Every structure is written in structure tokens, then in C-alpha cells.
Amino acid sequence: MIPKDHPRYRSLVARERLARCAREGVVALEGLAAHGRGEAFDYLIGERTSESALLAARTAAAMLLSARHAVISVNGNTAALAAREVAALQQASGADVEVNLFHRTDERIALITRLLEEHGVRVLSGTAERLVPLAHDRGLCLPEGIGDADVVLVPLEDGDRCEALRKMGKAVITVDLNPLSRTARTATLTIVDELTRALPAITAACATLEPGERDRLIASLDNTYLLRAAIDEMRERLVHALE
Ligand code: ATP
């Protein structure tokens, strides 16, 4: 039992949950390593949502609400950390949810689908086809899901798939604490924030954006500016760390 007053309570709870989900097969062991990389960057950003991340989250809400067909692509880490937050975002944005895995087996797809459904997510089902030009199994997707989407939210993604989705003409929104990752630099829009803070921020924005504001946010989207702002934030914290 982790004491609630532990200074790293949130982080320890997340680790505990990921470890449990890894034992159950929801999270791949490689997913634990990816989480560790994320934690390090979260330390650098001060474990809080920056102004620029909030602007990115509002822009993400605008893109999801304005999409012809928005799909949220969920992997093992996202399901383990944020199933409830995905359900709330689906409710607020009307997006479809599809499970997409690097380490894909029918058993893991079923496990993750069940976990999401237990938290109130409606998960697309069907027969996946290799529609995204990638050799590994992340290329598999549903023709009526990611295959048809014009906007895809892919949290905690790897660079190859992000790039392949972009080449297919889709707008890609990602959540990635590492502003230097290939994903962060290839996505249409990158929210440099921790997943369990970023998804509620997008959900909250879905409820408050005016139609005019949606168009303004989309028209002024500048991902290089957002990435630079995140790097500046981290640099400032490093420069003043020991003061
Ligand atoms: P790329 O291929 O894009 O360069 P990568 O090889 O780092 O990235 P992965 O190993 O798949 O890609 O890691 C996924 C990314 O998700 C990492 O950049 C990590 O910083 C980030 N990440 C991990 N956990 C979280 C989290 N809880 N919230 C936000 N970002 C996270």
C-alpha cells in the first residue's frame, strides 16, 4: 500500500498499475521501458501541465470536434493508465476508439478491449487489415476505424506509425512527454504532457470551445512553436534547478 502523503504518490500508483497490467498481459514489457522514458521527461517539465500544453490540448479538442471521423487509437499503456479518461474523452468528442498494438495477439486485443469496456469505452470491433504501410502489426487497422479516419489521436506512439499515418493524409494528434521524439516532431499536433493530465484537458476543452474558437485554434496551429515552448520550459527548470 503506497501512503497517500508520499511525495511521489501519483508516480508510484501509476508504476504499480503498469506492473500489475504487465503481469496480466495488458502492458507489454517494452511498454514499461517506454513509461520510464516518459517519467524522466515529466520530471523535467515539473509534473504539471504547461501553458503551451494546455493550448495544445484545446487545439486537439478543436480538431477532434471538427473532424469528419475522429478515432482514438489505444495501446496497452494507454489502456492501463487512462481507460476512464479515454471513456470521458470519447463521450465528450464523439470519437471512435480502436485498439492498436505493436505486440499484437488476439488475446491481448481481447484483454485490452475488456479493460476499456469495463471503464465505459465503446470499442470498435471488426477484421483488421494492413492498411497502414508498415511491416509490423501496427500497420493493421479497421477499414471502418483508423482506415477511414481523417483525424487520429495516437497517445504514446512510435515515430514510424505516426509518419505512416501522416503520409496517408491523416491529421495525427499525439500525447508525448518527449518533445524530441520522432513522433512528437512528425505529428500534426503534439501535446507535451503526461497522458492522465492531457486527456482530461482535451475532454474539458471539448465542453467549452465555441465554434469560432475551434476554427481559430486550428488555423493558428504551429507544432514547432509548441515543441519549442516545451523545450524552453524544461531548459528553464534545469537552469534554475539548484537555486
Ligand atoms: P519515437 O519513435 O517517436 O522517437 P520512442 O522510441 O521514444 O519514440 P516509444 O518507446 O514507443 O517511442 O515511447 C513512447 C513515448 O511515449 C516516449 O517518447 C515517452 O516519452 C512517452 N511516454 C511514455 N509514457 C508517457 C505518459 N504516461 N504520458 C505521456 N508520454 C509518455
Side-chain angles (χ1 to χ4, degrees):
M1 192 68 179
I2 302 163
K4 277 224 157 89
D5 59 352
H6 192 289
R8 310 217 48 74
Y9 178 76
R10 267 179 70 89
S11 157
L12 293 177
V13 168
R15 281 185 186 181
E16 196 175 61
R17 187 178 312 159
L18 282 167
R20 177 166 33 83
C21 286
R23 283 190 288 273
E24 291 167 1
V26 166
V27 167
L29 290 180
E30 292 81 352
L32 299 180
H35 183 75
R37 172 135 65 202
E39 276 190 339
F41 279 99
D42 204 17
Y43 226 108
L44 291 178
I45 205 136
E47 296 174 309
R48 59 177 186 81
T49 301
S50 65
E51 282 296 314
S52 57
L54 198 58
L55 170 64
R58 291 184 73 74
T59 309
M63 288 170 69
L64 291 173
L65 291 173
S66 306
R68 174 184 56 78
H69 183 189
V71 175
I72 306 170
S73 175
V74 174
N75 63 12
N77 280 39
T78 300
L81 288 171
R84 192 170 296 122
E85 288 82 353
V86 170
L89 179 56
Q90 178 176 48
Q91 176 83 22
S93 67
D96 280 333
V97 171
E98 179 173 338
V99 177
N100 180 278
L101 304 176
F102 191 95
H103 302 281
R104 186 183 182 112
T105 60
D106 290 345
E107 194 196 353
R108 273 194 82 214
I109 295 269
L111 267 177
I112 291 167
T113 299
R114 196 167 66 227
L115 173 68
L116 290 169
E117 287 177 347
E118 280 167 8
H119 288 84
V121 181
R122 280 170 287 106
V123 182
L124 284 179
S125 61
T127 308
E129 295 174 22
R130 194 171 296 281
L131 299 177
V132 183
L134 289 171
H136 56 70
D137 281 352
R138 273 191 167 177
L140 295 172
C141 68
L142 298 174
E144 62 278 28
I146 290 168
D148 176 63
D150 57 336
V151 176
V152 194
L153 170 61
V154 282
L156 324 184
E157 187 47 84
D158 86 337
D160 293 13
R161 179 156 172 257
C162 182
E163 197 174 346
L165 290 169
R166 288 297 312 273
K167 280 194 182 143
M168 291 170 78
K170 300 179 192 299
V172 177
I173 305 167
T174 195
V175 178
D176 192 335
L177 277 159
N178 176 5
L180 306 173
S181 78
R182 287 175 305 145
T183 308
R185 289 183 290 128
T186 319
T188 313
L189 169 66
T190 305
I191 305 168
V192 183
D193 200 6
E194 204 282 323
L195 182 72
T196 61
R197 297 193 301 267
L199 295 184
I202 307 172
T203 302
C206 282
T208 56
L209 286 184
E210 303 290 335
E213 193 185 357
R214 278 190 214 174
D215 296 343
R216 269 198 306 283
L217 283 165
I218 293 171
S220 56
L221 165 56
D222 178 350
N223 208 42
T224 307
Y225 161 80
L226 292 170
L227 294 178
R228 248 188 220 131
I231 292 167
D232 285 348
E233 184 85 29
M234 291 179 189
R235 191 173 47 208
E236 275 301 296
R237 287 184 53 80
L238 279 172
V239 167
H240 299 293
L242 299 180
E243 286 172 3

